[in-house]
Amino acid sequence: MKANLVLLLVAVAVASAQESAHCIWYGESHMIGPHWQNVAYAGSAKELKDAEGEAIFARRCPTLYKEYKGEDGDQPLLLCCDGAQLRTMDAGLSQADGVYSRCPTCTLNMALSVCAMTCAQNHSLFLTAYNAASPVASVDYVEHIDFRMADEFGQKVFNSCASIQHPQTGRPAMDLGCGGFNGKTCNYRRWYNFMGDAPNNDYVPFLINYTWLADNAEAEPAEQYLNLNPLNCGQSYEGKYACACIDCDESCPLSEAPVGYQDPWQIAGLYGITFIIAIVIALLMAGLITWSACGKTQYFNLCMPTLYGDFLYRGCRAWGTFCAKHPMLVLALCSWLIAGLGYGVRYMTVTTDPVELWASERSQTRIEKTYFDQNFGPFYRTNQIFVKPTNKSTFTHNAASGVLTFGPAYEQSFLQEVFELQEQIMQLGLAEGEGLDKICYAPVLYPGVTPTVDDCLIQSIYGYFQNDMSIFQKSYVDSNNFTINYLNQLEDCLRVPMLEDCFSTYGGPIEPGIAVGGMPKVAAGEDPEYMLATGLVLTFLGKNQNDAALLEPSFAWEKRYIDFLKNYSSEHLDIAYSAERSIQDAIVELSEGEMSTVIISYVVMFVYVAIALGRIRSCLGFLRESRIMLAVSGIVIVLASVICSLGFWGYLGVTTTMLAIEVIPFLVLAVGVDNIFIMVHTYHRLDHTRFEHTHDAIGEAIGQVGPSILQTASSEFACFAIGTISDMPAVRTFAMYAAAAIFLDFLLQITAFVALMAIDERRYQHGRLDMLCCVRSKQKPEVQNGTQLGLLEQLFTKFYAPFLLSKPVKLVVLIVFTVVTCLSLMFAPSIEPGLDQEMSMPKDSHVVKYFRYMDELLSMGAPVYWVLKPGLDYNRREHQNLICGGVECNNNSLSVQLYTQSRYPQFTSLARPASSWIDDYIDWLSIHDCCKYNVSSLSFCPSNSKSDDCLPCVREFSEDGLRPSPETFDKYVPFYLSDLPDAECAKAGRPSYADAVVYTLDDVGLSSISVTYFMQYSTTSTTSDKFVAALREARRVEQEINAMFAAQQVEASVFPYCVFFIFYEQYLTIWDDALLSLGLSLAAIFVVTLLLTGLDITSALIVLFMVVCILINMLGMMCAWGITLNAISLVNLVVCVGIGVEFVSHIVRSFKLAEGSAQQRALKSLSVTGSSVLSGITLTKFAGIVVLAFSKSQVFQVFYFRMYLGIVLIGGAHGLILLPVLLSQLGSLRGVERKSSSESLSTTN
């Protein structure tokens, strides 16, 4: 809305008082420093006859100009200032334009008081001059003045300017214009007082003492106070524009606040759907259990038909017979296979790059990171130290502003030691020519200038003292008896870091949100009380490169930095530190530290297998009856399968990770050894008197257990293969290597191990001793007839099986498992997605402590870069309006949308408005002396150059003066991105935007911008859920901005890039991925079981049901044990599905082939096969996994030890407790097995 302002100088009560109003000065006398002083003059206003001055007055003071020139505009222009004073006033207001010009209403409101003070015809009404003799002329000059102002007027002017943003910093412009107060603590009085505080403000020409009507309402008449009618920021002066939305809430369109992520429907804090399903299942099971308790002992009468089971039995028996009959041939062929595949290890490559480990090349964030790195270069190399004092006490300091309370981080001796530590780090490598200056990020330098250490961007409060210990230690007592020392400087700089006195040696401010931490928590969007900090943060930023070869100097300095801090000790400093290379170093350190764990695991497994495989009856017969060499051979086969897997993928050029190399040996050992037990125990149970040759007996044993072993191995292989669909490279390669190792282990077990069994059995039959094959025993070996029962099998037969399958115990088992399963189902959706950063590090790594301190001390989040891809013509006004945030920009432009989102940081995680180079560039161009060129070479000149060869650029603007012409815009982009800011040209772009704009130059020097970004700080995120929420909101904002571009029919698009997003994208869809992977895994084991049981759908459904129960209880265990859902735990759940088959399938097959009632079959299968499941599957896995509890890696302890321990215990409980109970209730199951296989099993059992 256009509005006309009428200047209302309230009429004085007495006419003579009005007539006595006069000027207090006219003309300029001399300069004090850079400022002109005004000649004292007590006469009437004089006519201005300076055309340039009149133009300035008309532009800067349109309201006064219109009033003084009259309605017709033909009145003489009578003013209390001459042309020189007007030019001085214009220069002063130009400096203010650098801060406030984004809002035309604000600058014109400010000019109301400045114009009235400088040129109004009735100065003396509201100004009182205090004169002094001029030192250079025989006239008096005005030394200082009293400026009487109405509070209402000052408040309105202040309000119109208070919301203006400073795009480079994303903070209020008032941070730059209110002295020792920031935008949130400034008010109209503080603002005006600072604008008149000549002793403390270098830009004020003389002291202006503002006095306010509210303080003197009774003592002085209101007519002596300037009281005008400024407009609100959402209003506009005639011929001008209102302030934009970013700088004025009144101009913003009405919009709904974001609500953030909404949790799904819940009941009692639990996911509603699974809660209801669990309740329904519990009720159904309660009915079945009640039915059983009332006398119904069997639930169903089912059939378990097998269409081609005899084929599998005969095939496995023939295969086993062949391998046992020709052991040397089989071993020779296997050795060639192992040698051939193992040689591929030479070609294996290992990566320790976190991005290569945890981010898929196909993921959206990985693609975006690559795009960002290629266009703007990788994110800075961050080397950071968190420091806390051992003394936790706060203290106070008396200052003119009151009693100040400081946190323990500001105790003087502590600060001095921290600053001395910083100085030592800054000197690292300098003597050798490999110092920080060679690798640091130094943004405030002109192009081509070589940085020194002082030019390096180091975010530390030492910068508030210009990294100078003498300035820090300076202390004196002022005239009011206040001690002025480092605490006074900290008070000012922590509150207003943009004060020039607070700038560090690199040439820019120190952000307190980055440099101090540990303050009391405040509401989102509020600045914390930095003076209460409990710790300090030192951040050394280094340049990063896409070419790793160029980073060798950075690696070398970071190594020095880490070594120095490892050896640094202090009684008063508690330090946590990290370098950019620390995570990669920790991954290497982790792999080296786990070697002992691998060795111990294999030793434990060897001892257990060596003892458990043999049937040792006495110490005298130990070496005859032991199977130590066979146990060693079995473990060697496991190792060989791992080596062959590494070699196989090495041939194919698949990069692996230390995670795969470290975990797969444990996994294959735990998964693979059980088959050895099953085969050996089955062989021992045979009646060897029925077989003429050893190889026939071994073949029979393989025929009986081969289908089950094939079933379990196929299920595990299928589940690992499904794990390869994971987008996380570390997990995908782990699944690939594990799947190959499982397959090769199975292959070697049914070939090489069968051959070794035959050799070992011949050794036994010939009476030769284990490990001493040349020595014969005098005692004749016993012929096994299948009647000798092992100790464990006796316990199962005589005690455990009858006890478990008694009716009261079965009822208790069903009730307990029903309750636990239903509770697990209820709580499963409550598993938190994510993987905390410190989990992937060794427990004793310095990075773990760094992550913990980061959570405590970091108070500013990482920057988010909104990358704008090609599709805009930046020199066209209509396209500028789509992205800018200033006057006449679209209300839904990119900058406005980002500003709107930053108003709700509690939902969006965006802490500040985004920096906008295009707004600052337009403002920079509009200031006359900022853009300069060399008249000789037509090249760039710095804005602060005083050379005669440097002149203001020739610029053209649109008719309204808001935007440069297309040619002007394109021509001076390189100049803008080369200029450094100062007081006159605060918006020069090199420090903030040199890397943000990618452009090319044509033959005539005009630029063409292709890619750019807008940077925006985020709130602090240190946990997975916060990072995921931030990424989710960033994606939502991205969609809204791109929808705006699409509506405007432009091809441009934007995406958010943050250095951390790449690690958390997977969690946006982790539950969908989990349901898909687990669903495929369950389908795979069902199909495998169905095929390998001869299309026995009943057995397949029983196995599927039991595996689903195991899986549900695993999810419940994860929730109870605090294990999060991520790609690692998801693959483990998929593996759980595969391994779960082992605990179930052998017993189901044994039950199927046994004879008698369901109760008798369950007793038989549990007694015979159950003991093998316990000793050969449960205990072997337990022995191999328990060693992981002593791992240095938290990933190993949590996601492998805990989860695999859960798989073993839960799987064992379901296979050895629940499954027999359920089978005993299934009634008469009529099998149609071929007689040969059925008889074979019955005779051996």
Side-chain angles (χ1 to χ4, degrees):
M1 180 185 68
K2 303 295 182 181
N4 293 320
L5 176 68
V6 179
L7 181 62
L8 297 176
L9 292 174
V10 180
V12 293
V14 183
S16 59
Q18 176 68 44
E19 294 174 358
S20 65
H22 56 78
C23 300
I24 64 167
W25 60 46
Y26 191 88
E28 295 178 338
S29 167
H30 63 287
M31 295 184 73
I32 297 180
H35 303 297
W36 283 100
Q37 304 300 305
N38 297 316
V39 176
Y41 171 70
S44 300
K46 300 181 180 181
E47 183 178 356
L48 179 67
K49 297 182 178 180
D50 185 318
E52 180 185 0
E54 183 171 347
I56 292 173
F57 189 74
R59 176 168 52 87
R60 291 290 187 180
C61 315
T63 306
L64 281 178
Y65 182 79
K66 183 176 181 180
E67 178 181 343
Y68 291 167
K69 290 291 289 183
E71 291 295 332
D72 298 331
D74 55 0
Q75 298 294 322
L77 185 58
L78 303 178
L79 301 175
C80 290
C81 61
D82 63 7
Q85 287 176 292
L86 283 168
R87 282 183 281 274
T88 300
M89 180 191 75
D90 184 51
L93 289 174
S94 295
Q95 291 179 341
D97 288 344
V99 178
Y100 302 108
S101 63
R102 290 172 51 85
C103 178
T105 303
C106 165
T107 55
L108 289 171
N109 283 345
M110 286 181 63
L112 287 175
S113 60
V114 176
C115 291
M117 178 186 71
T118 306
C119 299
Q121 299 172 352
N122 50 357
H123 271 164
S124 60
L125 267 180
F126 51 89
L127 300 178
T128 299
Y130 298 89
N131 303 333
S134 172
V136 296
S138 58
V139 294
D140 290 342
Y141 75 99
V142 178
E143 186 180 45
H144 66 276
I145 63 172
D146 289 339
F147 195 146
R148 294 178 294 278
M149 187 177 293
D151 295 78
E152 180 184 4
F153 168 70
Q155 182 71 68
K156 287 183 177 180
V157 175
F158 174 79
N159 289 345
S160 69
C161 301
S163 298
I164 296 176
Q165 300 296 313
H166 188 253
Q168 287 185 348
T169 63
R171 294 187 62 88
M174 274 300 167
D175 282 5
L176 302 173
C178 202
F181 300 95
N182 58 31
K184 293 187 177 180
T185 59
C186 187
N187 57 41
Y188 72 97
R189 291 197 177 190
R190 290 171 174 173
W191 186 44
Y192 273 102
N193 289 343
F194 175 70
M195 290 193 290
D197 188 8
N200 298 305
N201 187 341
D202 293 338
Y203 305 104
V204 178
F206 48 82
L207 178 63
I208 305 172
N209 178 33
Y210 287 94
T211 59
W212 301 95
L213 176 60
D215 297 335
N216 303 281
E218 297 181 0
E220 298 179 2
E223 293 81 0
Q224 295 183 11
Y225 289 80
L226 183 67
N227 190 7
L228 310 179
N229 287 330
L231 299 182
N232 296 329
C233 60
Q235 299 175 300
S236 61
Y237 285 92
E238 184 178 357
K240 302 295 181 181
Y241 296 91
C243 304
C245 169
I246 291 179
D247 306 306
C248 176
D249 290 344
E250 296 178 18
S251 299
C252 291
L254 295 177
S255 61
E256 294 183 359
V259 295
Y261 177 71
Q262 299 295 308
D263 290 326
W265 174 56
Q266 294 183 341
I267 299 176
L270 300 174
Y271 187 56
I273 295 177
T274 53
F275 184 90
I276 292 176
I277 293 174
I279 294 296
V280 171
I281 292 174
L283 293 175
L284 291 176
M285 289 302 300
L288 291 174
I289 292 171
T290 303
W291 185 35
S292 176
C294 292
K296 299 291 185 180
T297 58
Q298 295 176 346
Y299 295 152
F300 308 104
N301 289 319
L302 300 177
C303 181
M304 302 175 76
T306 302
L307 300 183
Y308 51 85
D310 189 55
F311 168 77
L312 292 174
Y313 160 74
R314 290 181 179 278
C316 291
R317 186 176 66 178
W319 179 262
T321 302
F322 173 81
C323 292
K325 188 175 182 179
H326 306 284
M328 302 310 296
L329 173 62
V330 171
L331 290 176
L333 293 174
C334 289
S335 64
W336 295 342
L337 174 67
I338 293 171
L341 290 177
Y343 188 76
V345 173
R346 290 190 56 193
Y347 306 102
M348 182 181 67
T349 57
V350 180
T351 181
T352 57
D353 184 352
V355 173
E356 297 290 338
L357 289 175
W358 306 114
S360 169
E361 293 181 355
R362 302 186 303 272
S363 70
Q364 183 177 348
T365 51
R366 180 72 178 273
I367 294 170
E368 291 168 350
K369 179 186 185 303
T370 301
Y371 188 91
F372 183 91
D373 291 350
Q374 290 175 348
N375 285 279
F376 308 108
F379 190 73
Y380 315 112
R381 299 186 68 84
T382 304
N383 307 287
Q384 199 165 52
I385 305 173
F386 296 116
V387 192
K388 295 197 298 186
T390 55
N391 179 10
K392 307 297 184 182
S393 303
T394 60
F395 61 97
T396 60
H397 176 69
N398 292 324
S401 56
V403 178
L404 307 176
T405 301
F406 286 91
Y410 303 111
E411 194 273 325
Q412 186 168 14
S413 61
F414 167 74
L415 282 180
Q416 180 163 330
E417 192 166 350
V418 172
F419 295 163
E420 289 171 351
L421 169 63
Q422 178 180 326
E423 289 179 341
Q424 293 178 62
I425 293 174
M426 292 170 66
Q427 295 301 313
L428 290 176
L430 281 181
E432 296 83 4
E434 299 177 349
L436 181 63
D437 57 318
K438 298 295 189 295
I439 58 99
C440 73
Y441 177 62
V444 193
L445 290 177
Y446 286 110
V449 177
T450 301
T452 65
V453 173
D454 287 337
D455 298 320
C456 295
L457 200 166
I458 302 173
Q459 284 286 346
S460 162
I461 62 170
Y462 197 21
Y464 293 150
F465 307 96
Q466 290 71 57
N467 296 344
D468 189 330
M469 192 65 71
S470 63
I471 297 177
F472 168 70
Q473 295 174 338
K474 184 178 180 181
S475 177
Y476 64 93
V477 177
D478 68 4
S479 58
N480 295 318
N481 206 31
F482 289 111
T483 299
I484 307 300
N485 59 16
Y486 74 100
L487 294 172
N488 298 85
Q489 179 74 354
L490 286 174
E491 178 197 7
D492 291 339
C493 296
L494 292 172
R495 189 164 53 209
V496 189
M498 296 302 294
L499 291 175
E500 285 191 51
D501 289 344
C502 301
F503 278 20
S504 183
T505 55
Y506 83 90
I510 300 298
E511 175 59 57
I514 298 175
V516 301
M519 295 75 64
K521 299 296 183 182
V522 296
E526 297 293 326
D527 285 336
E529 186 55 65
Y530 293 118
M531 290 197 298
L532 297 179
T534 59
L536 302 180
V537 186
L538 280 63
T539 306
F540 303 83
L541 287 182
K543 294 178 294 187
N544 214 341
Q545 305 284 347
N546 285 313
D547 186 354
L550 300 176
L551 291 174
E552 288 303 323
S554 296
F555 293 147
W557 188 88
E558 290 167 9
K559 182 68 166 57
R560 278 193 172 92
Y561 163 85
I562 293 173
D563 292 342
F564 171 79
L565 289 174
K566 278 183 178 179
N567 297 319
Y568 183 86
S569 62
S570 169
E571 296 180 357
H572 307 105
L573 308 186
D574 185 9
I575 293 177
Y577 62 91
S578 175
E580 184 71 20
R581 61 176 290 167
S582 289
I583 293 180
Q584 289 179 266
D585 289 347
I587 294 173
V588 175
E589 177 186 337
L590 177 63
S591 62
E592 296 172 351
E594 296 300 340
M595 185 59 65
S596 60
T597 310
V598 175
I599 295 173
I600 293 173
S601 177
Y602 274 77
V603 170
V604 169
M605 183 65 76
F606 163 73
V607 172
Y608 172 75
V609 174
I611 295 174
L613 272 186
R615 289 194 170 187
I616 302 169
R617 297 175 178 83
S618 66
C619 294
L620 294 176
F622 176 80
L623 289 179
R624 185 182 67 254
E625 298 172 343
S626 68
R627 295 288 189 271
I628 295 176
M629 292 305 296
L630 188 61
V632 170
S633 300
I635 292 176
V636 168
I637 284 175
V638 172
L639 283 173
S641 66
V642 173
I643 293 172
C644 289
S645 175
L646 297 176
F648 173 75
W649 293 114
Y651 280 127
L652 297 181
V654 177
T655 301
T656 188
T657 65
M658 297 309 302
L659 179 70
I661 295 174
E662 293 157 4
V663 176
I664 288 175
F666 293 106
L667 179 64
V668 179
L669 185 66
V671 171
V673 172
D674 53 6
N675 291 336
I676 295 174
F677 276 85
I678 297 295
M679 288 189 287
V680 172
H681 286 180
T682 303
Y683 174 75
H684 285 166
R685 292 193 186 99
L686 293 174
D687 182 0
H688 290 197
T689 60
R690 295 179 54 243
F691 303 99
E692 181 179 355
H693 302 290
T694 299
H695 58 260
D696 292 328
I698 293 176
E700 176 64 25
I702 301 303
Q704 291 183 20
V705 299
S708 294
I709 293 175
L710 177 61
Q711 178 186 348
T712 57
S714 299
S715 298
E716 290 162 355
F717 175 81
C719 290
F720 275 115
I722 290 172
T724 62
I725 68 176
S726 171
D727 282 335
M728 183 182 286
V731 175
R732 183 173 63 251
T733 56
F734 168 76
M736 293 169 64
Y737 278 78
I742 292 292
F743 171 77
L744 292 167
D745 183 55
F746 168 75
L747 185 64
L748 292 175
Q749 283 178 342
I750 62 172
T751 53
F753 186 77
V754 172
L756 290 168
M757 277 181 62
I759 294 173
D760 187 71
E761 184 61 22
R762 292 174 186 174
R763 186 270 308 168
Y764 175 78
Q765 291 177 357
H766 287 84
R768 297 184 183 276
L769 302 183
D770 194 18
M771 298 187 295
L772 300 173
C773 299
C774 297
V775 180
R776 284 180 180 269
S777 172
K778 295 180 181 180
Q779 184 177 353
K780 187 177 180 180
E782 298 180 7
V783 177
Q784 301 177 16
N785 57 14
T787 60
Q788 302 93 338
L789 298 179
L791 177 62
L792 190 60
E793 189 171 341
Q794 292 182 44
L795 291 174
F796 265 70
T797 302
K798 296 179 180 180
F799 300 103
Y800 177 68
F803 170 77
L804 176 67
L805 296 179
S806 62
K807 186 173 181 179
V809 175
K810 288 196 289 187
L811 290 176
V812 171
V813 167
L814 290 174
I815 292 172
V816 170
F817 274 85
T818 298
V819 171
V820 172
T821 302
C822 290
L823 288 176
S824 297
L825 184 59
M826 287 181 182
F827 283 91
S830 300
I831 299 173
E832 291 290 338
L835 175 63
D836 288 340
Q837 301 172 88
E838 64 181 86
M839 295 286 290
S840 58
M841 298 292 107
K843 288 188 293 185
D844 56 356
S845 170
H846 66 270
V847 184
V848 174
K849 184 178 180 182
Y850 169 79
F851 284 144
R852 289 201 301 265
Y853 278 39
M854 181 172 67
D855 187 32
E856 179 182 349
L857 296 181
L858 196 64
S859 56
M860 176 65 73
V864 178
Y865 298 91
W866 297 91
V867 179
L868 186 56
K869 300 171 78 171
L872 294 179
D873 293 331
Y874 291 87
N875 59 13
R876 293 174 55 186
R877 182 165 181 163
E878 57 269 28
H879 283 189
Q880 294 169 7
N881 290 341
L882 298 177
I883 60 173
C884 64
V887 176
E888 288 296 282
C889 297
N890 293 358
N891 278 337
N892 64 343
S893 71
L894 182 148
S895 292
V896 172
Q897 290 199 48
L898 295 181
Y899 165 74
T900 303
Q901 299 298 329
S902 71
R903 298 169 65 184
Y904 308 99
Q906 69 273 25
F907 299 120
T908 65
S909 299
L910 299 175
R912 296 180 180 176
S915 61
S916 172
W917 67 267
I918 192 167
D919 288 291
D920 283 341
Y921 176 45
I922 293 171
D923 291 343
W924 179 82
L925 276 177
S926 66
I927 300 175
H928 179 67
D929 285 336
C930 286
C931 180
K932 293 183 179 180
Y933 74 104
N934 188 292
V935 293
S936 301
S937 62
L938 302 181
S939 61
F940 163 74
C941 273
S943 58
N944 60 3
S945 174
K946 305 302 181 184
S947 172
D948 293 338
D949 290 336
C950 292
L951 297 179
C953 299
V954 178
R955 300 155 300 152
E956 295 179 355
F957 286 85
S958 58
E959 291 183 5
D960 57 12
L962 291 178
R963 304 291 171 83
S965 66
E967 183 177 355
T968 297
F969 186 97
D970 291 341
K971 184 174 183 178
Y972 297 117
V973 166
F975 288 22
Y976 171 67
L977 298 176
S978 299
D979 197 22
L980 296 179
D982 58 15
E984 284 73 26
C985 297
K987 295 189 177 181
R990 181 165 180 77
S992 299
Y993 304 124
D995 297 329
V997 182
V998 178
Y999 64 90
T1000 57
L1001 294 177
D1002 62 16
D1003 295 338
V1004 296
L1006 297 181
S1007 64
S1008 177
I1009 298 172
S1010 56
V1011 186
T1012 183
Y1013 68 65
F1014 295 72
M1015 191 274 285
Q1016 186 171 27
Y1017 277 109
S1018 64
T1019 57
T1020 306
S1021 297
T1022 55
T1023 59
S1024 294
D1025 58 332
K1026 292 182 179 178
F1027 280 116
V1028 172
L1031 175 56
R1032 183 186 294 110
E1033 285 300 302
R1035 290 280 182 240
R1036 177 186 60 80
V1037 176
E1038 171 193 0
Q1039 293 174 0
E1040 293 178 1
I1041 294 174
N1042 286 333
M1044 177 271 293
F1045 285 142
Q1048 297 293 329
Q1049 298 182 343
V1050 295
E1051 297 179 357
S1053 63
V1054 69
F1055 67 83
Y1057 168 74
C1058 178
V1059 67
F1060 296 113
F1061 281 174
I1062 194 170
F1063 302 112
Y1064 296 94
E1065 181 184 18
Q1066 59 174 306
Y1067 304 119
L1068 295 176
T1069 58
I1070 190 67
W1071 275 109
D1072 294 337
D1073 296 339
L1075 293 175
L1076 174 62
S1077 297
L1078 294 175
L1080 290 175
S1081 301
L1082 292 170
I1085 64 150
F1086 176 77
V1087 172
V1088 168
T1089 302
L1090 186 64
L1091 293 176
L1092 295 182
T1093 56
L1095 300 182
D1096 181 356
I1097 192 169
T1098 304
S1099 296
L1101 288 173
I1102 292 173
V1103 171
L1104 178 64
F1105 173 77
M1106 291 305 302
V1107 172
V1108 169
C1109 290
I1110 293 172
L1111 178 61
I1112 291 173
N1113 282 275
M1114 272 297 299
L1115 292 171
M1117 185 214 71
M1118 288 177 62
C1119 184
W1121 214 341
I1123 300 175
T1124 55
L1125 181 63
N1126 49 60
I1128 298 175
S1129 56
L1130 175 54
V1131 168
N1132 288 341
L1133 288 173
V1134 172
V1135 172
C1136 169
V1137 173
I1139 294 179
V1141 176
E1142 291 193 15
F1143 295 100
V1144 177
S1145 62
H1146 297 294
I1147 294 178
V1148 170
R1149 178 176 173 80
S1150 178
F1151 176 84
K1152 171 183 175 180
L1153 299 180
E1155 296 179 346
S1157 66
Q1159 180 79 1
Q1160 293 170 334
R1161 289 168 178 255
L1163 280 168
K1164 188 70 174 179
S1165 60
L1166 180 59
S1167 300
V1168 178
T1169 311
S1171 60
S1172 295
V1173 170
L1174 178 62
S1175 62
I1177 297 179
T1178 307
L1179 294 181
T1180 54
K1181 286 177 170 56
F1182 182 82
I1185 289 167
V1186 71
V1187 181
L1188 291 175
F1190 304 99
S1191 170
K1192 294 181 180 180
S1193 167
Q1194 296 180 81
V1195 167
F1196 273 42
Q1197 287 189 347
V1198 174
F1199 294 104
Y1200 291 100
F1201 168 67
R1202 291 186 187 179
M1203 290 199 71
Y1204 280 94
L1205 180 64
I1207 292 172
V1208 171
L1209 296 180
I1210 294 172
H1214 280 74
L1216 298 175
I1217 300 177
L1218 179 62
L1219 178 60
V1221 170
L1222 291 178
L1223 291 176
S1224 71
Q1225 299 295 110
L1226 290 181
S1228 176
L1229 287 88
R1230 300 175 296 279
V1232 292
E1233 281 283 340
R1234 294 291 296 272
K1235 185 176 181 180
S1236 58
S1237 61
S1238 179
E1239 287 180 353
S1240 297
L1241 186 63
S1242 62
T1243 56
T1244 59
N1245 288 348

